[in-house]
mmCIF file of all heavy atoms in Angstrom:
data_model
loop_
_atom_site.group_PDB
_atom_site.id
_atom_site.type_symbol
_atom_site.label_atom_id
_atom_site.label_comp_id
_atom_site.label_asym_id
_atom_site.label_seq_id
_atom_site.Cartn_x
_atom_site.Cartn_y
_atom_site.Cartn_z
ATOM 1 N N SER A 200 -21.675 205.911 61.970
ATOM 2 C CA SER A 200 -21.493 205.193 60.707
ATOM 3 C C SER A 200 -22.214 203.855 60.811
ATOM 4 O O SER A 200 -21.854 203.042 61.672
ATOM 5 C CB SER A 200 -19.991 204.974 60.473
ATOM 6 O OG SER A 200 -19.756 204.282 59.285
ATOM 7 N N TYR A 201 -23.220 203.662 60.015
ATOM 8 C CA TYR A 201 -23.982 202.401 60.030
ATOM 9 C C TYR A 201 -24.389 201.978 61.443
ATOM 10 O O TYR A 201 -24.230 200.817 61.821
ATOM 11 C CB TYR A 201 -23.187 201.289 59.356
ATOM 12 C CG TYR A 201 -23.004 201.484 57.862
ATOM 13 C CD1 TYR A 201 -21.807 201.961 57.341
ATOM 14 C CD2 TYR A 201 -24.042 201.174 56.987
ATOM 15 C CE1 TYR A 201 -21.651 202.142 55.973
ATOM 16 C CE2 TYR A 201 -23.888 201.352 55.618
ATOM 17 C CZ TYR A 201 -22.697 201.828 55.121
ATOM 18 O OH TYR A 201 -22.540 201.997 53.762
ATOM 19 N N GLY A 202 -24.787 202.950 62.255
ATOM 20 C CA GLY A 202 -25.281 202.621 63.587
ATOM 21 C C GLY A 202 -24.203 202.485 64.648
ATOM 22 O O GLY A 202 -24.503 202.266 65.823
ATOM 23 N N GLY A 203 -22.954 202.586 64.285
ATOM 24 C CA GLY A 203 -21.859 202.537 65.256
ATOM 25 C C GLY A 203 -21.010 203.791 65.145
ATOM 26 O O GLY A 203 -21.413 204.778 64.511
ATOM 27 N N VAL A 204 -19.836 203.743 65.784
ATOM 28 C CA VAL A 204 -18.892 204.855 65.653
ATOM 29 C C VAL A 204 -17.838 204.438 64.640
ATOM 30 O O VAL A 204 -17.237 203.373 64.763
ATOM 31 C CB VAL A 204 -18.188 205.154 67.000
ATOM 32 C CG1 VAL A 204 -17.178 206.290 66.827
ATOM 33 C CG2 VAL A 204 -19.201 205.499 68.072
ATOM 34 N N GLY A 205 -17.640 205.266 63.623
ATOM 35 C CA GLY A 205 -16.644 204.957 62.590
ATOM 36 C C GLY A 205 -15.481 205.937 62.675
ATOM 37 O O GLY A 205 -15.646 207.121 62.387
ATOM 38 N N PHE A 206 -14.338 205.447 63.098
ATOM 39 C CA PHE A 206 -13.181 206.346 63.243
ATOM 40 C C PHE A 206 -12.682 206.808 61.861
ATOM 41 O O PHE A 206 -12.424 207.985 61.642
ATOM 42 C CB PHE A 206 -12.042 205.646 63.991
ATOM 43 C CG PHE A 206 -12.206 205.590 65.492
ATOM 44 C CD1 PHE A 206 -13.426 205.327 66.085
ATOM 45 C CD2 PHE A 206 -11.095 205.792 66.319
ATOM 46 C CE1 PHE A 206 -13.559 205.265 67.471
ATOM 47 C CE2 PHE A 206 -11.213 205.744 67.704
ATOM 48 C CZ PHE A 206 -12.443 205.470 68.286
ATOM 49 N N LEU A 207 -12.538 205.863 60.929
ATOM 50 C CA LEU A 207 -12.092 206.240 59.585
ATOM 51 C C LEU A 207 -13.127 207.162 58.940
ATOM 52 O O LEU A 207 -12.790 208.188 58.343
ATOM 53 C CB LEU A 207 -11.901 204.998 58.710
ATOM 54 C CG LEU A 207 -11.336 205.291 57.320
ATOM 55 C CD1 LEU A 207 -9.810 205.293 57.356
ATOM 56 C CD2 LEU A 207 -11.810 204.280 56.285
ATOM 57 N N LYS A 208 -14.377 206.764 59.123
ATOM 58 C CA LYS A 208 -15.462 207.557 58.534
ATOM 59 C C LYS A 208 -15.433 208.984 59.086
ATOM 60 O O LYS A 208 -15.621 209.951 58.329
ATOM 61 C CB LYS A 208 -16.785 206.853 58.859
ATOM 62 C CG LYS A 208 -17.988 207.490 58.241
ATOM 63 C CD LYS A 208 -18.680 208.415 59.200
ATOM 64 C CE LYS A 208 -19.891 209.062 58.532
ATOM 65 N NZ LYS A 208 -20.589 209.953 59.441
ATOM 66 N N ALA A 209 -15.198 209.135 60.388
ATOM 67 C CA ALA A 209 -15.174 210.472 60.993
ATOM 68 C C ALA A 209 -14.081 211.318 60.351
ATOM 69 O O ALA A 209 -14.283 212.489 60.018
ATOM 70 C CB ALA A 209 -14.953 210.357 62.504
ATOM 71 N N GLY A 210 -12.921 210.716 60.164
ATOM 72 C CA GLY A 210 -11.824 211.461 59.533
ATOM 73 C C GLY A 210 -12.202 211.900 58.133
ATOM 74 O O GLY A 210 -11.952 213.045 57.739
ATOM 75 N N MET A 211 -12.826 210.984 57.402
ATOM 76 C CA MET A 211 -13.204 211.308 56.022
ATOM 77 C C MET A 211 -14.301 212.364 55.981
ATOM 78 O O MET A 211 -14.342 213.221 55.111
ATOM 79 C CB MET A 211 -13.693 210.043 55.320
ATOM 80 C CG MET A 211 -12.608 209.019 55.073
ATOM 81 S SD MET A 211 -13.294 207.456 54.486
ATOM 82 C CE MET A 211 -14.096 207.984 52.980
ATOM 83 N N GLN A 212 -15.205 212.289 56.935
ATOM 84 C CA GLN A 212 -16.343 213.209 56.960
ATOM 85 C C GLN A 212 -15.909 214.625 57.357
ATOM 86 O O GLN A 212 -16.424 215.606 56.820
ATOM 87 C CB GLN A 212 -17.358 212.698 57.997
ATOM 88 C CG GLN A 212 -18.624 213.506 58.116
ATOM 89 C CD GLN A 212 -19.623 213.094 57.052
ATOM 90 O OE1 GLN A 212 -19.878 211.908 56.845
ATOM 91 N NE2 GLN A 212 -20.181 214.073 56.358
ATOM 92 N N LEU A 213 -14.978 214.716 58.277
ATOM 93 C CA LEU A 213 -14.767 215.997 58.950
ATOM 94 C C LEU A 213 -13.453 216.695 58.623
ATOM 95 O O LEU A 213 -13.280 217.867 58.953
ATOM 96 C CB LEU A 213 -14.874 215.787 60.475
ATOM 97 C CG LEU A 213 -16.251 215.220 60.904
ATOM 98 C CD1 LEU A 213 -16.212 214.723 62.338
ATOM 99 C CD2 LEU A 213 -17.332 216.280 60.717
ATOM 100 N N ALA A 214 -12.525 216.003 57.971
ATOM 101 C CA ALA A 214 -11.270 216.676 57.615
ATOM 102 C C ALA A 214 -11.535 217.682 56.497
ATOM 103 O O ALA A 214 -12.478 217.543 55.721
ATOM 104 C CB ALA A 214 -10.247 215.642 57.165
ATOM 105 N N ASP A 215 -10.678 218.690 56.414
ATOM 106 C CA ASP A 215 -10.845 219.688 55.350
ATOM 107 C C ASP A 215 -10.443 219.122 53.999
ATOM 108 O O ASP A 215 -10.926 219.585 52.975
ATOM 109 C CB ASP A 215 -10.022 220.934 55.687
ATOM 110 C CG ASP A 215 -10.547 221.580 56.950
ATOM 111 O OD1 ASP A 215 -11.653 222.133 56.899
ATOM 112 O OD2 ASP A 215 -9.895 221.471 58.007
ATOM 113 N N ALA A 216 -9.551 218.144 53.999
ATOM 114 C CA ALA A 216 -9.228 217.458 52.748
ATOM 115 C C ALA A 216 -8.931 216.000 53.064
ATOM 116 O O ALA A 216 -8.422 215.671 54.137
ATOM 117 C CB ALA A 216 -8.019 218.089 52.071
ATOM 118 N N ILE A 217 -9.293 215.134 52.125
ATOM 119 C CA ILE A 217 -9.001 213.697 52.247
ATOM 120 C C ILE A 217 -7.968 213.380 51.180
ATOM 121 O O ILE A 217 -8.120 213.780 50.030
ATOM 122 C CB ILE A 217 -10.264 212.863 51.933
ATOM 123 C CG1 ILE A 217 -11.429 213.271 52.825
ATOM 124 C CG2 ILE A 217 -9.972 211.371 52.054
ATOM 125 C CD1 ILE A 217 -12.781 212.717 52.336
ATOM 126 N N THR A 218 -6.932 212.686 51.572
ATOM 127 C CA THR A 218 -6.034 212.189 50.528
ATOM 128 C C THR A 218 -5.949 210.678 50.657
ATOM 129 O O THR A 218 -6.180 210.103 51.717
ATOM 130 C CB THR A 218 -4.603 212.777 50.610
ATOM 131 O OG1 THR A 218 -3.922 212.211 51.730
ATOM 132 C CG2 THR A 218 -4.618 214.285 50.716
ATOM 133 N N THR A 219 -5.651 210.056 49.535
ATOM 134 C CA THR A 219 -5.262 208.663 49.588
ATOM 135 C C THR A 219 -4.024 208.504 48.728
ATOM 136 O O THR A 219 -3.602 209.461 48.076
ATOM 137 C CB THR A 219 -6.406 207.715 49.229
ATOM 138 O OG1 THR A 219 -5.966 206.372 49.504
ATOM 139 C CG2 THR A 219 -6.815 207.826 47.778
ATOM 140 N N VAL A 220 -3.405 207.322 48.781
ATOM 141 C CA VAL A 220 -1.995 207.247 48.449
ATOM 142 C C VAL A 220 -1.651 206.870 47.011
ATOM 143 O O VAL A 220 -0.497 206.579 46.712
ATOM 144 C CB VAL A 220 -1.265 206.329 49.461
ATOM 145 C CG1 VAL A 220 -1.135 207.040 50.797
ATOM 146 C CG2 VAL A 220 -2.015 205.018 49.651
ATOM 147 N N SER A 221 -2.666 206.900 46.143
ATOM 148 C CA SER A 221 -2.375 206.829 44.705
ATOM 149 C C SER A 221 -3.571 207.382 43.947
ATOM 150 O O SER A 221 -4.711 207.284 44.425
ATOM 151 C CB SER A 221 -2.074 205.401 44.248
ATOM 152 O OG SER A 221 -3.252 204.613 44.277
ATOM 153 N N PRO A 222 -3.353 207.939 42.767
ATOM 154 C CA PRO A 222 -4.482 208.451 41.974
ATOM 155 C C PRO A 222 -5.470 207.352 41.605
ATOM 156 O O PRO A 222 -6.685 207.559 41.680
ATOM 157 C CB PRO A 222 -3.799 209.029 40.728
ATOM 158 C CG PRO A 222 -2.412 209.360 41.164
ATOM 159 C CD PRO A 222 -2.052 208.310 42.185
ATOM 160 N N THR A 223 -4.997 206.176 41.232
ATOM 161 C CA THR A 223 -5.936 205.118 40.845
ATOM 162 C C THR A 223 -6.800 204.687 42.021
ATOM 163 O O THR A 223 -8.020 204.529 41.894
ATOM 164 C CB THR A 223 -5.188 203.910 40.229
ATOM 165 O OG1 THR A 223 -4.633 204.324 38.979
ATOM 166 C CG2 THR A 223 -6.116 202.728 39.979
ATOM 167 N N TYR A 224 -6.207 204.520 43.217
ATOM 168 C CA TYR A 224 -7.013 204.126 44.390
ATOM 169 C C TYR A 224 -8.023 205.227 44.730
ATOM 170 O O TYR A 224 -9.151 204.937 45.131
ATOM 171 C CB TYR A 224 -6.095 203.840 45.577
ATOM 172 C CG TYR A 224 -6.768 203.135 46.740
ATOM 173 C CD1 TYR A 224 -7.311 201.863 46.595
ATOM 174 C CD2 TYR A 224 -6.844 203.744 47.996
ATOM 175 C CE1 TYR A 224 -7.918 201.215 47.659
ATOM 176 C CE2 TYR A 224 -7.444 203.104 49.070
ATOM 177 C CZ TYR A 224 -7.980 201.837 48.902
ATOM 178 O OH TYR A 224 -8.573 201.195 49.970
ATOM 179 N N ALA A 225 -7.649 206.490 44.537
ATOM 180 C CA ALA A 225 -8.580 207.599 44.805
ATOM 181 C C ALA A 225 -9.821 207.453 43.920
ATOM 182 O O ALA A 225 -10.931 207.803 44.338
ATOM 183 C CB ALA A 225 -7.904 208.945 44.565
ATOM 184 N N GLY A 226 -9.647 206.950 42.719
ATOM 185 C CA GLY A 226 -10.793 206.697 41.852
ATOM 186 C C GLY A 226 -11.519 205.426 42.243
ATOM 187 O O GLY A 226 -12.759 205.377 42.291
ATOM 188 N N GLU A 227 -10.770 204.380 42.580
ATOM 189 C CA GLU A 227 -11.385 203.081 42.887
ATOM 190 C C GLU A 227 -12.317 203.149 44.102
ATOM 191 O O GLU A 227 -13.357 202.492 44.127
ATOM 192 C CB GLU A 227 -10.292 202.033 43.146
ATOM 193 C CG GLU A 227 -9.570 201.576 41.881
ATOM 194 C CD GLU A 227 -8.359 200.688 42.160
ATOM 195 O OE1 GLU A 227 -7.812 200.734 43.289
ATOM 196 O OE2 GLU A 227 -7.937 199.958 41.259
#
Side-chain angles (χ1 to χ4, degrees):
S200 180
Y201 292 101
V204 178
F206 281 41
L207 184 88
K208 184 263 179 179
M211 291 171 60
Q212 182 83 48
L213 301 167
D215 296 290
I217 304 166
T218 72
T219 188
V220 287
S221 71
T223 292
Y224 193 62
E227 286 172 338

